[in-house]
Each structure stands twice: as C-alpha cells, then as structure tokens.
Amino acid sequence: MRLVLTTVLRELLIVPHTVEDNALHPLTSPVKSTLPLVLIAAVQSLSAVHGRAEDRIITRAIEVRSLAVAEANRGIEANLRGVVVFVEGPSAVFVQDESSTTFFSTTSVPLPTVGDEIEVRGATRMGLYLPGLGLSTFRILGHRALPPGIPARYEDLVFGRYHYQRVALEGIVRSLTPVDSQKSLIRLAIGPRVIEARVEQPPPGGRSLVDHRVRVTGLAVGFINKRRQLVQPYVRVLDWNEVEVLAPATPIAKVPHISAEELLAFRVAGHGQQRVWIEGGVTAVFSRKQVFLRQGELAFGVRLSVATTLSPGDRVAVIGFPEMDRFSAAVVDAELMRRQRGPALAPVRVPSPDDLGELHDGNLVSVAGTVRDAFKTDGGTALLLQGKTRTLQARLPEGVEAPANGSRLQITGICQVETVAMTSLFTSQPGIVSLRARSADDLQILQTPSWWTAGRLAAVLGVLGGVTFLAALWIAFLRRQVDRQTRALRRRIEAEATLEERQRIAREFHDSLQQDLAGLRLRLDAVATRTLDDKGRTLVDTSRGLLSRIQAETHNLVSDLRDSAEIAGDLAAVLRSLSKDHATAPDVAVRTELAAPLPALPASTVHHLRMIARESVVNALRHSVAQHIVLVAAVRDDRLTMTITDDGAGFDPTVAARGKAGHFGCVGIRERARKIGGEVVWRSSAGAGTTVEVTLPLRSLSETSPLV
C-alpha cells in the first residue's frame, strides 16, 4: 500500500521546465503539478507503520546506477551524501559522491545550489535512461569545490558510459552561437566527431573561441527515446569558467591557403583540425548558410556558420574546416572573408545522366533526359530522368511545377552523389546520383511528350476492345435474327406451297374423283331400280355401300387438305378436331389431353402427326373394339411426345409392327414418324389395351420435309 501511494506521489510531484529540459530530466511521465506537504507526511507515516520494501539501504551513488529496471522500480531505500554538481530544478538535482553521480527530485524549498554538500534520503525508481531517486528529502551539510571532470572521449558519451556525470572533453571549437539571451552553444570537434556543449550563460563579449583548442567540463546528458536509448549526447556546462583554452586559434594571417585539389588530399604530415583558407566562384545558393563553389574544374560545398547573403557568380574567400561529405570533401563552419561580384558561372554540359561521374560531385552541371515520373517530397518536387543505364533524380525547388511525363528536358543544377559503391579494396565509385535545381529557370523543355501516352493508348485500346465486343454481340444478335427470320420465312413459304398444293389436290379430287364417284352412284342407283335376282341385288347393294364409304373417305381427305389448323401448325386444334370427328361413334369415348400449351409446328409435321393419330384411332375402333381412347401431347426436355392409348383387346406389337399381308397401318405409322425425324413405340398385350408413343426432338422440326 505504501509503495503504491509513494509511486503515485513521485509521478505527480515531478515538474519539468521546458521541452529542452526534458532531455535532461531523468524521470518518466512528468506532470506539472505539486501536492501539499501533508500528503508527503502521510506517506512517510505510512512507511513508518508498514516498514520498508527492502531491508538494505543504499549509501553509494554507484549502487543506484547499477540497479536493473525492476530493482529500481521496487523503491529501495537510499541514504546518500555528496556534492551538488547540477540543478535542473525540483525535478532533477544531480549529486556526486566519491563513487559516481545520481539524481533525485524534491519539493523542498529552497533548492540546493551547485557546490552544496548534502545528505539525501529517498527511494529508488527508474528514470528515462538510468536509475535514480524519486521524491526525496535533503539536508545541506556545507559547501565545497566541485570535483574535476572525468576525461572522456566521444565514444564514452555516445555509449552512455558517463551519462549524468561530470566529464572533461578536449577539442577544437568549430562554432560558438547564442541560443537565446541566456545560453550559448559550442560545437566541439573531438577528432573527426562533433559534439555540442550548451553553456548556461550568453557568449562572452568581444571574444571568439572558434578554432581554439579547449577543455570543456560539464554534465554528460542527452536526448532519450521511449525505448530508453541514448539518441544524441551533449554536455551541460555551468558557466564560462568550465571552458579552459588549451591552445589559441591560428591567426587569420597565418591560416594556410589551399586549393580545391588540396582539400583533404594526401599530406606527409597529415591533416590537422584547424581551419584553412580557400577561394572559389559561387555556383549555387540554397540557403543563407549552404552554398557551392567552383575553383577551376573542381567544385565543393560550403556550410557557413553565420547566415550570409550571396549570389551565383560572386567570387569569395572563406575560412573553414575541411570535412568529408558523402563522397567528396566540403568546407564546414566557414566564415566569409572576402566577396567580389562577378558574372554567373556556366554549367558543365553533360550529354546524358549516364555520363555523370565522381568529378561532377558538387559541381553545376546541365544534363538532358526524359522525364519518366514525378512525385512530391518535403522539399519540393522530384523528377526521375531516364538515361540508357541510369535513372537520375532531379529535385526542384518548392513551388516549381513538374513537366509532364515523357517530356525531353534540359535541367541545370548541382550534382550530388547520394551513395557510394565500393568497386575494389582501394577505390570507390558513385552509386546513386541526384541533381538539385536552383530555380525554375534551370528547367528547359526540349520536346513535349507525344499525345500517345501509355495511359491514353490503353484507354483507346480499351474503347476499341469495347466497341469490337459490342459489334460482335450485335453481329451475333443479327445472325440470330436472320436465322430466325429465315426459318420463319422458310416455314411461311413451305406453308404457302403446301397450302397451294393441298388446295390443288382438293380441287382435283372435288372436280374429278368426286364427280366420277357421284356419276357411278347414279348408275348404281339406276341399276337398283331394275328387277334383279337375289345375287345381283346383293352385289348392287354391296357396291353401293362400298361407294358410300369411298365417297366419305374422299370427302374427309378433301376436308383434311383444306384444314386451316393443320396449315397453321396447331397440333392441339388438330387433335381436338380428330377427337370430335369420332365422338359420334356409339359406345366409344375419344378425348384429348394436353399437359401444357404446345409450340407452333411446321404444317408437314402436324399433318404426319395427325395421320399417325388418326390411323391409331381407326385401328383401335376397327380391330381392338376399344371403348375409351385418349390422345395426349406434351413437351418434356425439348422433346415433343404424343401418345394414343386405348382399352381395347390389344395385340402383339412385335408381329404387327413388321406388317402382314393386307395390313400396312403400323408400317405407315413408322414411315411417317421417320419422315419427321421422330421415333414410334407400341406397347400392347392381349386384353390390356394399346399405347402408341411418338417422340421427336423440337430442334429438328424446322428441317422436316414438306408435305408430299
């Protein structure tokens, strides 16, 4: 219970000052608030009642620094004695004993000052980077001199070895600038590395430490991320008394003058860390601190320590520190010594991006290429210029619009090697190369892109494909329409020809055969009025009956030939008419059953089906003595089925279907079925009736032969 309340109070009582101070602040999750001292007293009383979380008491700073995260967060009691070396505020007071340095937070006022010897009581907790003490109390014992700084190298700070301890660093001052009215910033070169030292006082008036060799003593601190990793170290310095000059700067008159060829080139004595004097013509200015110079055929970049207004064409002299950039040497932390106006320098003409090499690094070049793509970046727009073997990235200033893809472009700018490729154990070559344009005037469009871009070509091809597809669908639709109209026309011509032929036959039957039969009947009637013997009269009466049947058959045939339903292809009407014709027979019931509406059929097909049905009904009446006959027609699975079922005496279909002397009904039915592309089956047995089934596919009905 005590630990929970203590932890909450420690969290709430930490008060950081500024965002910058958070880099120094050792505790996590600060909250800008304070609590009454009565709460602290309550926690202390609770601690006295319930006892401590740990039996041991830490008495040395090195023991606090050596705790693991879990151990530090358990709140181990600590009682330390040491001297205050830095005060950030109530959230972080740094105290050093004979073993090391640690920190604590407090709400006691007034705060201790640097140099106070104090006794601290508190409990451990984990900070942003290393363990320290949480909310603590202190007692001032006296005042004494600060301990000397620990001699440290750059890597000691980077790897956090002396973090939150007083260190002493020796190096060359690269630059000295004010941060605000109360603080200063020193950039200190320690060998090839540069580290910042922040002095808690403004720069000394009338005194420049640039190029001086100095010893800086201060507290090693740094910026920490949320993973408890040291991102960037720096040093907090109390005042200028902590900065000791070891060797003065080289006088301006004695600063060595070098050429561009000598920048970081081989020297027997090697290169020192002091400044050099170098001259050149300005080729590009990207900010008031970043410029590029050219001397002869060589070019190099310059970073000024103080913002200066320069223009392309100016002839300048600068003093600065040589430093290796990504691929070639540059001059950094430079000071402008002389400036003279002059005409702008012409760019170096390069035929294509493939010809850019190491000697062009930092130089003003002009190169032609084809724009393949463009995209936005934080600093403006980037173009991709395509060569034969290399794609060059050209960066345009903010606000400059990119030319259209496919444009042929001449662009001028500073060539910069972005990556280095090691070609052997001793040499290196440029990898990725970019071009940085200075303004919109550096872009010259040589040729606009063709209207036929890949996107437009794809769109046109898509439209043509769509039109072709629609045309194919339309042609297929027209073909179906033509086929349908052709079949309909063929059926209509066939029906008209069939009707004409049937009417002609009907006329011939009526005008010739029926007239002859009528004349024959008159003669037989005349003979019947004569006196004949019994045998003669019987012969005449038989002949008259036969003639009556022939006349009836002829009349029916003529009627069939002129039947409009058959001509129209209406099988249902034809079957109903057939049932009606036989409905007058005594003791016989003939009916038609239709499962569903039947499709229109060719006239020839309807005629043959009618004759098959008629022959089957006549056979049932004459030979089977049937009393019930059912005609059924239906369409199933794209097939037309017609059945004639009776309840007559039945017969042996295996014998009758092959035909016998004087009987051709079954043979005729089979021939008619084959003529229209169908099949016929007889199902019958003695005393069980007969079923005649005709089946034909509907798809073949349009191909049947006309009636003959």
Side-chain angles (χ1 to χ4, degrees):
M1 180 67 177
R2 183 199 65 80
L3 287 177
V4 173
L5 290 177
T6 303
T7 303
V8 172
L9 287 175
R10 289 178 191 145
E11 193 72 30
L12 294 176
L13 290 173
I14 298 168
V15 186
H17 289 267
T18 64
V19 174
E20 176 182 306
D21 294 337
N22 285 341
L24 173 63
H25 176 45
L27 302 181
T28 57
S29 305
V31 178
K32 292 185 178 180
S33 63
T34 58
L35 293 178
L37 295 178
V38 65
L39 293 179
I40 302 174
V43 173
Q44 292 174 346
S45 299
L46 188 61
S47 300
V49 174
H50 293 280
R52 295 295 181 185
E54 294 284 346
D55 294 334
R56 68 181 176 124
I57 297 178
I58 294 177
T59 59
R60 301 172 69 225
I62 189 64
E63 296 180 65
V64 178
R65 294 174 66 93
S66 302
L67 293 176
V69 175
E71 290 178 318
N73 284 331
R74 284 205 297 266
I76 303 173
E77 185 68 21
N79 186 358
L80 306 177
R81 175 176 292 189
V83 61
V84 176
V85 295
F86 202 93
V87 179
E88 177 65 16
S91 62
V93 178
F94 295 85
V95 58
Q96 179 175 332
D97 62 11
E98 70 282 356
S99 65
S100 187
T101 305
T102 189
F103 58 88
F104 66 92
S105 61
T106 184
T107 57
S108 300
V109 291
L111 295 175
T113 60
V114 174
D116 286 345
E117 185 176 6
I118 64 173
E119 181 182 10
V120 181
R121 290 181 178 273
T124 62
R125 69 161 299 170
M126 189 63 196
L128 288 173
Y129 186 56
L130 50 79
L133 302 183
L135 190 63
S136 304
T137 60
F138 65 89
R139 182 168 62 94
I140 299 177
L141 304 176
H143 193 86
R144 61 186 177 91
L146 294 178
I150 303 172
R153 298 170 299 176
Y154 180 83
E155 51 266 31
D156 293 328
L157 303 185
V158 169
F159 296 114
R161 179 182 179 185
Y162 299 129
H163 202 73
Y164 293 156
Q165 297 193 71
R166 277 177 61 82
V167 295
L169 303 174
E170 293 186 9
I172 303 295
V173 177
R174 286 285 188 88
S175 64
L176 171 59
T177 56
V179 175
D180 53 37
S181 60
Q182 300 298 324
K183 296 182 180 180
S184 305
L185 177 64
I186 297 175
R187 297 184 68 251
L188 188 67
I190 305 175
R193 306 283 186 166
V194 176
I195 192 167
E196 293 181 354
R198 303 190 179 194
V199 185
E200 302 296 311
Q201 287 183 347
R207 179 187 180 191
S208 174
L209 294 177
V210 176
D211 205 20
H212 286 58
R213 185 170 188 83
V214 300
R215 178 186 294 116
V216 176
T217 303
L219 188 69
V221 294
F223 296 100
I224 311 299
N225 62 23
K226 292 184 178 181
R227 299 182 179 184
R228 292 197 173 97
Q229 297 167 339
L230 180 58
V231 178
Q232 178 184 340
Y234 65 96
V235 178
R236 298 291 294 271
V237 182
L238 291 172
D239 51 42
W240 289 108
N241 294 325
E242 302 273 62
V243 180
E244 179 186 358
V245 176
L246 302 179
T250 302
I252 297 297
K254 295 184 178 181
V255 171
H257 291 232
I258 67 170
S259 66
E261 294 180 348
E262 296 176 292
L263 267 178
L264 294 185
F266 172 73
R267 290 181 182 177
V268 174
H271 292 276
Q273 298 184 42
Q274 266 68 37
R275 295 180 294 178
V276 296
W277 178 297
I278 192 167
E279 300 178 0
V282 177
T283 56
V285 178
F286 291 111
S287 70
R288 297 184 64 189
K289 287 189 175 183
Q290 184 181 19
V291 298
F292 285 87
L293 305 183
R294 181 195 294 170
Q295 186 185 95
E297 296 182 354
L298 298 180
F300 52 93
V302 174
R303 291 200 298 272
L304 298 169
S305 58
V306 178
T308 307
T309 301
L310 294 174
S311 301
D314 291 348
R315 269 58 177 178
V316 299
V318 296
I319 291 179
F321 297 91
E323 183 177 274
M324 179 56 63
D325 206 346
R326 281 166 289 193
F327 186 77
S328 56
V331 178
V332 301
D333 297 313
E335 180 181 353
L336 181 65
M337 304 305 297
R338 187 179 66 240
R339 175 187 179 188
Q340 182 181 359
R341 299 286 185 179
L345 300 179
V348 177
R349 294 284 179 175
V350 179
S352 74
D354 306 315
D355 299 314
L356 289 173
E358 55 186 295
L359 294 179
H360 296 116
D361 187 30
N363 210 340
L364 182 67
V365 300
S366 180
V367 61
T370 302
V371 179
R372 291 305 180 199
D373 197 5
F375 51 90
K376 292 291 185 180
T377 64
D378 294 337
T381 303
L383 301 179
L384 294 182
L385 296 183
Q386 183 64 54
K388 292 182 180 179
T389 61
R390 171 183 285 169
T391 298
L392 175 67
Q393 183 183 114
R395 290 175 289 172
L396 307 183
E398 186 71 33
V400 178
E401 294 295 329
N405 291 350
S407 301
R408 183 72 179 170
L409 186 69
Q410 184 82 31
I411 184 169
T412 301
I414 298 297
C415 177
Q416 292 181 299
V417 175
E418 303 290 346
T419 62
V420 180
M422 302 301 175
T423 57
S424 69
L425 294 177
F426 300 102
T427 61
S428 63
Q429 294 292 334
I432 299 175
V433 178
S434 67
L435 199 67
R436 188 175 180 183
R438 301 167 298 179
S439 66
D441 297 334
D442 286 338
L443 275 71
Q444 181 183 0
I445 298 178
L446 304 178
Q447 182 180 355
T448 57
S450 172
W451 189 89
W452 288 104
T453 62
R456 289 173 178 169
L457 181 59
V460 171
L461 292 177
V463 171
L464 290 177
V467 171
T468 303
F469 178 72
L470 293 177
L473 289 180
W474 179 248
I475 291 172
F477 175 75
L478 289 180
R479 284 180 176 176
R480 292 187 61 184
Q481 288 290 96
V482 170
D483 292 341
R484 188 181 299 111
Q485 294 294 335
T486 301
R487 291 194 298 270
L489 182 61
R490 183 185 298 119
R491 287 196 296 268
R492 185 162 57 252
I493 294 174
E494 176 185 311
E496 291 177 357
T498 301
L499 178 60
E500 180 64 27
E501 182 65 17
R502 288 158 65 98
Q503 290 178 349
R504 185 188 67 79
I505 295 173
R507 287 195 301 271
E508 293 296 331
F509 277 6
H510 181 271
D511 296 340
S512 59
L513 181 57
Q514 280 195 333
Q515 295 298 331
D516 292 341
L517 292 176
L520 180 58
R521 184 177 183 82
L522 291 175
R523 289 183 177 85
L524 290 176
D525 290 343
V527 173
T529 59
R530 302 290 179 90
T531 302
L532 300 173
D533 54 10
D534 293 338
K535 185 176 181 180
R537 183 168 295 281
T538 300
L539 180 59
V540 171
D541 292 339
T542 303
S543 299
R544 292 177 66 190
L546 178 60
L547 181 60
S548 297
R549 288 196 299 274
I550 293 174
Q551 283 183 313
E553 292 290 339
T554 303
H555 177 74
N556 291 337
L557 180 59
V558 173
S559 298
D560 293 342
L561 290 173
R562 294 185 177 275
D563 189 351
S564 59
E566 183 176 313
I567 297 301
D570 190 353
L571 178 61
V574 169
L575 294 180
R576 292 192 187 98
S577 176
L578 183 61
S579 300
K580 186 177 180 181
D581 291 342
H582 292 85
T584 57
D587 302 328
V588 177
V590 181
R591 72 178 189 276
T592 301
E593 295 181 359
L594 302 176
L598 301 179
L601 303 174
S604 60
T605 301
V606 175
H607 173 74
H608 288 296
L609 291 175
R610 175 176 183 169
M611 298 308 295
I612 291 173
R614 181 176 180 179
E615 180 66 23
S616 300
V617 171
V618 170
N619 288 339
L621 294 175
R622 289 181 180 176
H623 306 295
S624 298
V625 194
Q627 295 182 346
H628 297 85
I629 303 175
V630 181
L631 305 179
V632 179
V635 176
R636 298 185 185 91
D637 300 330
D638 201 29
R639 298 177 70 85
L640 176 66
T641 302
M642 182 182 71
T643 60
I644 304 94
T645 304
D646 64 72
D647 59 354
F651 64 96
D652 184 0
T654 59
V655 177
R658 291 195 299 267
K660 57 183 180 178
H663 297 274
F664 302 101
C666 293
V667 176
I669 289 174
R670 179 179 286 110
E671 291 177 350
R672 287 184 182 275
R674 290 176 178 173
K675 192 171 184 63
I676 59 177
E679 297 179 355
V680 61
V681 177
W682 285 269
R683 299 185 183 89
S684 180
S685 61
T690 302
T691 297
V692 181
E693 182 179 86
V694 181
T695 304
L696 69 156
L698 291 177
R699 63 176 179 273
S700 64
L701 296 182
S702 60
E703 302 174 357
T704 55
S705 302
L707 177 63
V708 294

